[in-house]
Amino acid sequence: MVAQRYGGPEVLAVVDEDLPELAPGQVRVDLRAIGVNPFDFKSYSGAFGDDPEKLPLSIGTEGAGVVAAVADEAVSPDGLLAVGTEVIVYPGTGMYAESVVVSATSVLVKPPSLAWEPAAGLLLTGVTAMDTLDTAATGPDDVVLVHGASGGVGSATVQLAVGRGATVVGTASADNLDYVRGLGAIAVPYGSGLADRVREAAPGPVTVAIDTAGTDEAVDVSVDLVADRSRIVTIAAGAHADDAGIVRVGGPQSAAARRAARQTVVELAGSGALSVRIARTFSLDDAATAHRDLAQPHPPGKFILLP
């Protein structure tokens, strides 16, 4: 699946391409499931630029499947790989495909307890959530406010913070409050008066705020409630966050931290301490529909493509 030009989901098309020969350190993976993320459609929407030299543009960064071929020197972060090994791939490129050739350094062994769909949607959101909590130095004594707690990164952040022993207050729409409570958080609806509702619901002063929503409300409420700006972290907010002096993650330093966090996230998911809810699945041919639906209100959870 490639974007033939920049624009909306209508620019996506299925093409047949031969896979390249394996270079040393690479593996071929036959994919069983592919994670869908907002980054995917932003990549061809023009949000990150529209260089025509990059067209056609391959889509997708994460998935899960079976190792089909292994080149010399192909060693993953968790050991040697063999044909037939069930794996999770992240970060990858061109993952909207039936098969991909990737560096073995992007491949981790899938725990047997983890089904294909949650495995495919695990790592982008999981390592981003881990990065936010580590950046804010989150520990067991903290009261953590998570904005957008029912979203992909938000729900992972709630679970990981609860796993660290922190008390978590999560914001969500009224329809998703029960889901957020089920993750282990104190759930509050966002909207006018949010800061007062959080103060009333929290068992003590909020010490950490994680913004996965990217709204002005999330920034303003976080600044109102958390005295230490270095413990307010956003993955989404732009100039308003910069003006407020809070921390944005996602640069080169985050990339290294997120790669390092992958094994921990996989182990937590394998043990059941971190779950990935699946909202919908689509065929690979229906990727454009998945992108249109992802941009609209939808039930909590990840969208997954099935090759």
Side-chain angles (χ1 to χ4, degrees):
M1 182 66 67
V2 300
Q4 298 176 310
R5 61 187 186 278
Y6 291 96
E10 71 279 356
V11 307
L12 296 180
V14 175
V15 297
D16 290 323
E17 293 183 353
D18 293 329
L19 290 172
E21 294 294 324
L22 296 186
Q26 290 185 325
V27 297
R28 187 176 85 238
V29 178
D30 293 341
L31 293 170
R32 298 290 184 267
I34 301 154
V36 178
N37 297 286
F39 176 86
D40 301 341
F41 58 76
K42 288 180 181 178
S43 68
Y44 64 83
S45 70
F48 306 137
D50 56 357
D51 183 356
E53 295 296 322
K54 295 181 179 180
L55 297 174
L57 193 65
S58 297
I59 309 299
T61 62
E62 65 176 348
V66 180
V67 174
V70 181
D72 294 337
E73 304 172 24
V75 180
S76 76
D78 49 4
L80 294 172
L81 293 169
V83 172
T85 303
E86 296 184 348
V87 296
I88 303 172
V89 183
Y90 177 80
T93 57
M95 296 292 293
Y96 282 25
E98 294 177 339
S99 299
V100 291
V101 170
V102 296
S103 169
T105 60
S106 292
V107 174
L108 293 97
V109 174
K110 181 183 76 67
S113 60
L114 203 57
W116 289 119
E117 290 87 351
L122 169 68
L123 280 178
L124 187 149
T125 53
V127 299
T128 302
M130 186 78 77
D131 185 21
T132 64
L133 294 171
D134 288 345
T135 299
T138 307
D141 296 327
D142 285 309
V143 176
V144 181
L145 173 61
V146 178
H147 296 279
S150 65
V153 177
S155 61
T157 303
V158 170
Q159 294 176 77
L160 292 172
V162 169
R164 296 185 182 197
T167 300
V168 181
V169 178
T171 73
S173 67
D175 290 341
N176 293 330
L177 294 179
D178 284 343
Y179 172 59
V180 172
R181 292 187 189 100
L183 298 173
I186 300 165
V188 296
Y190 52 67
S192 178
L194 176 59
D196 289 336
R197 287 194 298 279
V198 172
R199 286 190 184 95
E200 183 177 349
V206 176
T207 55
V208 171
I210 307 296
D211 166 35
T212 73
T215 63
D216 288 353
E217 175 190 65
V219 172
D220 293 340
V221 170
S222 297
V223 169
D224 186 10
L225 295 175
V226 180
D228 185 349
R229 300 284 175 91
S230 71
R231 306 197 78 196
I232 305 173
V233 178
T234 182
I235 67 166
H240 192 56
D242 295 335
D243 292 342
I246 67 178
V247 181
R248 280 210 279 174
V249 295
Q253 185 174 356
S254 284
R258 293 176 187 189
R259 275 187 173 270
R262 291 177 301 164
Q263 186 61 47
T264 299
V265 171
V266 169
E267 290 172 358
L268 289 169
S271 71
L274 176 63
S275 64
V276 178
R277 176 168 172 165
I278 305 303
R280 296 177 186 168
T281 61
F282 302 80
S283 71
L284 179 58
D285 290 349
D286 286 334
T289 300
H291 285 191
R292 291 188 188 98
D293 289 357
L294 189 62
Q296 303 299 320
H298 58 83
K302 291 292 294 267
F303 281 16
I304 301 294
L305 302 179
L306 301 176

